[in-house]
Amino acid sequence: YEYVPHRLLRSRVRDIASGTEGELMAVINENVSDCLTYERWMELAYIRAASGREFTTAVENVVPAYDQPQTAAGRRNPGSA
Protein backbone atom coordinates (compact mmCIF):
# COMPACT_ATOMS: atom_id res chain seq x y z
CA TYR A 1 0.00 0.00 0.00
CA GLU A 2 1.17 3.48 -0.78
CA TYR A 3 -0.55 6.82 -0.20
CA VAL A 4 -0.74 8.96 -3.33
CA PRO A 5 -1.10 12.77 -3.30
CA HIS A 6 -4.22 14.08 -5.04
CA ARG A 7 -5.38 17.65 -5.74
CA LEU A 8 -8.90 16.94 -4.41
CA LEU A 9 -7.93 15.49 -1.00
CA ARG A 10 -10.26 16.76 1.75
CA SER A 11 -12.57 18.23 -0.93
CA ARG A 12 -16.16 17.41 -1.80
CA VAL A 13 -16.18 14.99 -4.73
CA ARG A 14 -18.58 12.86 -6.75
CA ASP A 15 -18.05 9.25 -7.81
CA ILE A 16 -19.27 9.25 -11.42
CA ALA A 17 -19.79 5.46 -11.34
CA SER A 18 -22.39 5.58 -8.55
CA GLY A 19 -23.31 9.27 -8.40
CA THR A 20 -22.51 9.31 -4.67
CA GLU A 21 -20.92 12.41 -3.20
CA GLY A 22 -18.65 12.81 -0.22
CA GLU A 23 -15.23 13.95 0.99
CA LEU A 24 -12.11 12.47 -0.59
CA MET A 25 -10.19 11.08 2.38
CA ALA A 26 -7.28 9.29 0.69
CA VAL A 27 -5.93 7.89 -2.55
CA ILE A 28 -3.99 4.66 -2.09
CA ASN A 29 -2.08 2.55 -4.58
CA GLU A 30 -3.26 -0.97 -3.69
CA ASN A 31 -2.71 -4.47 -4.94
CA VAL A 32 -6.22 -5.54 -5.98
CA SER A 33 -5.24 -8.93 -7.36
CA ASP A 34 -7.00 -11.98 -5.93
CA CYS A 35 -4.25 -14.24 -7.23
CA LEU A 36 -0.88 -14.96 -5.63
CA THR A 37 0.93 -15.49 -8.96
CA TYR A 38 0.74 -11.88 -10.13
CA GLU A 39 0.08 -8.44 -8.70
CA ARG A 40 -2.39 -5.93 -10.07
CA TRP A 41 -1.92 -2.43 -8.65
CA MET A 42 -4.58 0.24 -8.86
CA GLU A 43 -5.11 3.70 -7.41
CA LEU A 44 -8.24 3.61 -5.26
CA ALA A 45 -10.00 6.68 -3.91
CA TYR A 46 -11.52 6.46 -0.43
CA ILE A 47 -14.58 8.70 -0.17
CA ARG A 48 -16.52 9.37 3.04
CA ALA A 49 -20.23 9.78 2.26
CA ALA A 50 -22.66 11.92 4.29
CA SER A 51 -23.60 8.81 6.29
CA GLY A 52 -20.03 8.63 7.60
CA ARG A 53 -19.29 5.39 5.80
CA GLU A 54 -16.33 5.25 3.44
CA PHE A 55 -16.35 3.54 0.08
CA THR A 56 -13.77 3.03 -2.63
CA THR A 57 -13.79 3.73 -6.32
CA ALA A 58 -11.21 4.01 -9.07
CA VAL A 59 -9.47 7.36 -8.83
CA GLU A 60 -10.45 7.99 -12.49
CA ASN A 61 -14.11 8.10 -11.36
CA VAL A 62 -13.56 11.03 -8.96
CA VAL A 63 -14.61 14.52 -10.04
CA PRO A 64 -15.13 17.72 -8.04
CA ALA A 65 -18.68 18.20 -6.71
CA TYR A 66 -19.00 21.97 -6.97
CA ASP A 67 -22.78 22.03 -7.23
CA GLN A 68 -25.40 20.71 -4.87
CA PRO A 69 -27.21 17.55 -5.97
CA GLN A 70 -30.39 18.37 -7.82
CA THR A 71 -33.72 17.33 -6.41
CA ALA A 72 -36.48 16.01 -8.63
CA ALA A 73 -38.20 19.41 -8.43
CA GLY A 74 -35.02 21.20 -9.46
CA ARG A 75 -34.66 19.07 -12.59
CA ARG A 76 -38.13 19.77 -13.89
CA ASN A 77 -38.41 22.07 -16.83
CA PRO A 78 -41.20 24.57 -16.02
CA GLY A 79 -42.12 24.83 -19.69
CA SER A 80 -42.64 21.10 -20.22
CA ALA A 81 -45.75 19.07 -19.54
Side-chain angles (χ1 to χ4, degrees), residues 2-73:
E2 176 185 3
Y3 283 90
V4 178
H6 194 279
R7 66 182 180 87
L8 295 174
L9 279 175
R10 298 292 183 187
S11 299
R12 187 160 180 77
V13 296
R14 178 179 295 126
D15 170 25
I16 59 173
S18 68
T20 305
E21 293 186 7
E23 182 179 353
L24 181 61
M25 303 306 291
V27 175
I28 300 178
N29 193 23
E30 292 188 37
N31 180 4
V32 295
S33 175
D34 59 354
C35 178
L36 296 175
T37 58
Y38 71 95
E39 294 180 347
R40 181 169 174 247
W41 292 86
M42 181 175 179
E43 288 186 357
L44 292 177
Y46 283 76
I47 300 172
R48 182 173 293 158
S51 67
R53 291 191 144 197
E54 289 188 10
F55 65 95
T56 60
T57 189
V59 75
E60 293 85 11
N61 291 340
V62 176
V63 296
Y66 295 120
D67 58 343
Q68 293 296 319
Q70 290 185 337
T71 62

